[in-house]
Amino acid sequence: MGVTTFKGGVHPYDGKDLAKDQAIVELKPQGVMVYPVSQHIGAPAKPVVEKGDHVLVGQKIAEAGGFVSSPVICSVSGTVKAIEKRLTAGGAVVDAIVVDNDQNYEAIEGFGQARDYTKLSRDEIVNIVKEAGIVGLGGAGFPTSVKLMPKNIDKIDYFLVNAAECEPYLTSDYRDMMETPEKIIGGLKVILSIFPNAKGVICVEDNKPDAIRLLTEKAQGESNIEVAALQTKYPQGGERQLIYAVTGRKINSSMLPADAGCVVDNADTVVAIYEAVCESKPLVRKIVTVTGDAVAKPGNFKVPLGMNYQEIIDQAGGFKADPEKIICGGPMMGIPLFKLDIPVAKNSSSILALLHDPVSSEPTTACINCGRCVEACPENLVPTMLMKAGLSKDTSKFAELYGMECIECGCCSYVCPAKRPLTQAFKQMKRLVNAEKRAAAAKAKAEAEAKAKEETKSTEEVKK
C-alpha cells in the first residue's frame, strides 16, 4: 500500500459542519425538467424523442453519441415540451430536452426490480452501466462503462472508490457512506466481478472516522475489499493524488489510471452502479449539498436530474440573506454562477452560497517570489514561471514547463499572498494549447488529404 498522502496540497477551512449531520432529504420538483444532452465528457447524446412525446421515469430520451458518450435518462413522467438551447452550470448553452412534469412519476416496466448480478456476464454488467447513463458523479463526468472496459482487464489490480470528498463544504458522499454503506459495498462487489485480479479499496479521509468505522464493519468477511484511511489534505480526492496515496504509483496527463493497474470511481458512482445492476434503476437522481453561510437550512438533497437550481434552493429553505457569491461545486474547483435558472446535471455536486466573496474583495498585487505556490502544488510545478508564460500567451513555454500537467485544483491561488489568479490563467492556457493542437491536427489532415488527392490525380493522368 501507499503512504496515505502526497506531496504538496493545502488545508483550507472545510465548512463541512454546516451540512454533514443533515440526512439526505428527497425533493420532488414542481416545474419543468431540463435535460442537457451534454452532461459528460465526450460526444453529446442524441435525442431519441420529439416534441409532444409522452415519457416515463427511467426512459432513455437521448442515446450515446459515440464510444465516449452517455445516454440521458428521464427522471419524471410527462410530455416533451421542446428540444432547445439551454444554459448549463458550466456557462455553455447546449441542446436540451425540456419535459413538462405531470407529477405522476410513472416508470418504465421493470424499473426498480431486483436483479442478481452474479448471474450476469461481464459484458452484460458493463452494458447495463452504459445504458443506465452512469458517468463519474464526482464532477468529471467521464462515462463509467468506458472505465470498466480497459484494454487489459487482467492487469487491473486495484479498484479505488474515491470517498475522500476533500473539497470544502461538500458532504453528499459522506451522507452516502453513513446512510447507504451497503450500496457502496454492494456496488464494489459488482465491479470486482468484472476485474478478477483486483482488490477493492474504499478511500476515505481520516476526518471522517465514523464513516471509516461503518464501512470497515460492513466490509468484514470480504477478502478483497478494504477501507483505507487517508490523511486529510486537499486535493486528496484528485485521481493522481489518490492513486499515489493508496498504491504509491504515479501517473501523468498522458496516462490513464489503468496504465498503473488502477480504476477509480467516485463513491456515489459506485452506488449508482449498484442501483442500476442490482435494482434496475438507471441514473435519474443526484445527491446535492446545499450549503454556505447564506443558506437558511444547509442540507443534503436527493433530487431528480433536470430539476431547476432555483427550485432546489426554494425547497431547501431559501437564503437567509442575499449571497454575494454562489458556486456550483466547492470553493476550490467549483464554477461561479450568475443565475440559478439552470438544471441539475450528472456532474452537479453542490450549491454553495456565501454571504461574502473574499476573492473579489482582496486586490491582486505583484508576485513577491515567496515560493508558497511551488510548495503547495501537488503536481510539483512552478506556478510563478507558468504565470509568466500565461501573461505573454506563450503556449510553447507553458507546455515546456509542463503546464498541461496542472490539475486545476486551485492550491496555488489559495496560498498566494498576492492573490494572483494563477489557476484561472492556467485553465486559459491549457485551452489555448489544446486549441493549437486541434488546429495543427486539422491542418495536417487537410494537407494529407490534398496530397493524396494530388497523387490520385497524377496516377490517373499516367494511366491515360
Side-chain angles (χ1 to χ4, degrees):
M1 295 294 287
V3 294
T4 76
T5 191
F6 57 94
K7 178 185 176 296
V10 294
H11 291 87
Y13 166 66
D14 70 7
K16 293 182 184 291
D17 286 345
L18 290 172
K20 76 179 185 68
D21 295 324
Q22 301 300 316
I24 297 170
V25 175
E26 187 169 357
L27 300 183
K28 294 291 187 181
Q30 302 300 314
V32 298
M33 309 294 285
V34 178
Y35 303 93
V37 297
S38 296
Q39 301 185 40
H40 51 267
I41 291 174
K46 298 178 180 179
V48 292
V49 293
E50 298 178 350
K51 181 179 179 180
D53 287 353
H54 183 68
V55 292
L56 306 173
V57 176
Q59 179 178 335
K60 184 194 297 185
I61 55 177
E63 62 184 6
F67 177 70
V68 181
S69 185
S70 180
V72 177
I73 312 298
C74 197
S75 59
V76 299
S77 58
T79 304
V80 177
K81 181 180 179 181
I83 299 177
E84 60 190 24
K85 299 289 185 181
R86 287 296 185 105
L87 179 70
T88 64
V93 177
V94 303
D95 288 334
I97 301 166
V98 183
V99 175
D100 265 328
N101 180 8
D102 64 12
Q103 308 296 319
N104 293 325
Y105 295 95
E106 183 184 359
I108 60 173
E109 184 179 354
F111 184 89
Q113 288 185 358
R115 182 161 45 194
D116 184 354
Y117 79 91
T118 63
K119 296 180 180 179
L120 301 173
S121 68
R122 176 187 299 170
D123 290 343
E124 286 174 326
I125 290 174
V126 172
N127 189 61
I128 289 170
V129 171
K130 178 181 178 180
E131 291 301 306
I134 299 174
V135 303
L137 300 181
F142 191 83
T144 302
S145 61
V146 179
K147 280 190 177 183
L148 299 181
M149 294 187 292
K151 291 181 179 179
N152 298 305
I153 286 179
D154 292 339
K155 291 186 177 181
I156 301 300
D157 46 18
Y158 282 102
F159 187 95
L160 307 182
V161 179
N162 187 350
E165 198 165 45
C166 62
E167 180 79 44
Y169 289 93
L170 274 60
T171 57
S172 56
D173 284 350
Y174 171 75
R175 293 313 311 174
D176 256 344
M177 289 184 273
M178 297 304 297
E179 297 181 39
T180 58
E182 298 88 356
K183 289 189 177 184
I184 294 177
I185 301 295
L188 183 51
K189 290 171 67 174
V190 171
I191 293 163
L192 292 176
S193 71
I194 298 174
F195 300 104
N197 300 324
K199 171 184 285 189
V201 183
I202 305 172
C203 312
V204 190
E205 283 192 319
D206 57 14
N207 64 348
K208 306 174 184 69
D210 46 355
I212 293 172
R213 284 194 299 270
L214 182 57
L215 288 166
T216 301
E217 176 187 320
K218 297 295 182 180
Q220 285 184 359
E222 303 293 341
S223 61
N224 59 344
I225 295 178
E226 64 181 70
V227 180
L230 307 180
Q231 290 186 32
T232 300
K233 182 168 60 171
Y234 178 84
Q236 185 69 270
E239 195 169 63
R240 300 180 202 174
Q241 285 66 44
L242 193 75
I243 290 172
Y244 179 75
V246 177
T247 70
R249 302 171 185 178
K250 296 181 179 180
I251 64 170
N252 56 41
S253 63
S254 65
M255 301 170 63
L256 295 172
D259 296 326
C262 301
V263 177
V264 183
D265 260 324
N266 166 265
D268 196 33
T269 308
V270 175
V271 171
I273 290 172
Y274 175 85
E275 292 175 342
V277 176
C278 300
E279 297 181 346
S280 305
K281 293 179 181 178
L283 182 62
V284 295
R285 88 309 180 270
K286 194 74 173 68
I287 311 299
V288 176
T289 302
V290 180
T291 187
D293 57 7
V295 176
K297 297 178 180 179
N300 302 284
F301 303 92
K302 182 179 181 180
V303 304
L305 292 175
M307 187 174 179
N308 187 272
Y309 271 40
Q310 183 64 64
E311 190 175 0
I312 294 173
I313 292 293
D314 294 341
Q315 289 197 36
F319 298 129
K320 60 185 179 183
D322 288 339
E324 191 172 296
K325 191 162 193 175
I326 303 176
I327 301 171
C328 174
M332 298 299 287
M333 295 187 73
I335 302 169
L337 299 175
F338 63 89
K339 63 185 300 185
L340 288 170
D341 185 20
I342 52 176
V344 171
K346 299 176 186 180
N347 52 3
S348 302
S349 58
S350 170
I351 304 173
L352 172 61
L354 303 174
L355 290 173
H356 304 289
D357 180 6
V359 176
S360 62
S361 63
E362 298 186 30
T364 298
T365 58
C367 174
I368 60 173
N369 294 312
C370 64
R372 293 181 190 177
C373 58
V374 179
E375 294 178 357
C377 180
E379 289 298 311
N380 300 315
L381 305 177
V382 185
T384 49
M385 296 179 68
L386 290 172
M387 187 63 169
K388 290 179 181 178
L391 290 172
S392 61
K393 296 293 187 290
D394 188 343
T395 52
S396 296
K397 187 65 176 177
F398 182 82
E400 181 184 320
L401 293 168
Y402 302 100
M404 300 306 287
E405 296 299 319
C406 172
I407 60 172
E408 303 174 14
C409 64
C411 287
C412 54
S413 297
Y414 178 79
V415 300
C416 179
K419 307 302 177 186
R420 298 180 69 75
L422 299 167
T423 306
Q424 293 86 339
F426 304 157
K427 286 182 180 180
Q428 183 181 33
M429 287 300 291
K430 288 175 68 177
R431 286 195 291 267
L432 287 175
V433 171
N434 285 327
E436 288 182 357
K437 288 181 178 179
R438 289 193 296 270
K443 181 181 179 181
K445 181 180 179 181
E447 290 176 348
E449 289 175 348
K451 183 178 180 182
K453 186 176 181 180
E454 186 63 32
E455 289 176 349
T456 301
K457 182 179 178 181
S458 299
T459 302
E460 291 176 350
E461 289 176 352
V462 169
K463 289 180 178 178
K464 289 181 180 179

